[in-house]
Amino acid sequence: MPINLLCWFLLRSRYSHLEKMTDLVAVWEVALSDGVHKIEFEHGTTSGKRVVYVDGKEEIRREWMFKLVGKETFTVGATKTKAAINIDAVSGFAYEYTLEINGKSLKQYIENRLKTTNTWILNLGGTDYRIVLEKDTMDVWCNGQKMETAGEFVEDGTETHFTVADHSCCIKAVSSGKRKEGIIHTLIVDNREIPEAVE
């Protein structure tokens, strides 16, 4: 093999991982009940290539697409949440990329999620835990796993009990007494109230 060809081959193989992301045009982080997921999108405007990565794993690859605008649909996370990337021409060769989650724009999805879930982040025994309550179903998730829970009615509302790493956990649901605020959910771990996280 001639020296020039050998050098080109060695350089190409050594830096091939950089070549992989040369058409990266958008990155989003989406908080779902099972975790925060990173979505990356490559769009080759000369080749028409479209590649979607979810948490670093390639989900979609399309080469030589002659239509440069359109939509790519895929799923995210353990619950297979529906997602789509819209590709729209803005002007000339400029493009706009928007992410939809469950048929809503990312902004609408986040606003809705703030109303329908509570999230707490805590550290127990040196390990970080992300606990999510889905208010509509009362499902509890911890670090991507749906938890086994036991619910009970108490004098001032309800309590949902579960265990994380041998620690007793309880989500208390009580009425705020105010119509606009509705029900207040509080996480108690080992008799200690955990402040809610903002994602």
Side-chain angles (χ1 to χ4, degrees):
M1 183 179 302
I3 293 288
N4 288 346
L5 187 57
L6 179 62
C7 288
W8 176 83
F9 177 75
L10 290 174
L11 283 173
R12 182 174 167 86
S13 61
R14 182 173 183 183
Y15 296 103
S16 62
H17 67 284
L18 295 176
E19 188 178 293
K20 177 179 140 184
M21 289 288 202
T22 56
D23 293 325
L24 186 66
V25 294
V27 178
W28 298 274
E29 286 195 350
V30 179
L32 301 177
S33 294
D34 67 340
V36 178
H37 300 278
K38 185 175 183 178
I39 299 170
E40 299 168 288
F41 183 58
E42 290 184 38
H43 187 217
T45 56
T46 54
S47 66
K49 174 181 80 171
R50 297 180 192 176
V51 185
V52 176
Y53 298 92
V54 177
D55 298 326
K57 181 180 173 240
E58 186 176 297
E59 294 293 322
I60 296 173
R61 174 175 290 274
R62 301 191 200 291
E63 302 282 354
W64 300 106
M65 300 282 293
F66 293 107
K67 188 175 180 187
L68 295 178
V69 296
K71 182 183 239 179
E72 293 297 336
T73 57
F74 53 99
T75 60
V76 179
T79 57
K80 302 287 185 202
T81 301
K82 294 177 188 173
I85 297 173
N86 295 305
I87 308 149
D88 297 303
V90 178
S91 64
F93 289 102
Y95 296 90
E96 180 179 78
Y97 308 96
T98 54
L99 179 66
E100 291 179 0
I101 303 292
N102 279 338
K104 298 178 181 171
S105 72
L106 185 58
K107 182 181 178 195
Q108 289 173 324
Y109 172 79
I110 291 169
E111 288 170 356
N112 185 57
R113 185 167 171 73
L114 289 172
K115 296 174 191 170
T116 60
T117 63
N118 288 87
T119 303
W120 297 272
I121 297 175
L122 62 147
N123 187 293
L124 297 172
T127 303
D128 289 330
Y129 294 94
R130 179 178 177 269
I131 297 173
V132 178
L133 169 68
E134 293 179 350
K135 294 179 196 177
D136 53 349
T137 61
M138 293 304 289
D139 287 338
V140 176
W141 292 77
C142 179
N143 288 1
Q145 300 295 317
K146 191 172 173 183
M147 304 299 290
E148 289 288 327
T149 62
E152 68 175 314
F153 291 100
V154 294
E155 188 176 315
D156 57 348
T158 63
E159 292 182 355
T160 303
H161 298 273
F162 58 100
T163 304
V164 173
D166 295 326
H167 292 268
S168 174
C169 302
C170 172
I171 297 176
K172 291 188 173 199
V174 295
S175 174
S176 66
K178 298 176 185 171
R179 190 173 183 192
K180 283 193 172 190
E181 287 182 36
I183 297 172
I184 297 173
H185 295 88
T186 307
L187 175 65
I188 310 290
V189 178
D190 296 333
N191 296 316
R192 182 174 55 102
E193 185 174 327
I194 307 299
E196 190 174 348
V198 179
E199 291 187 307

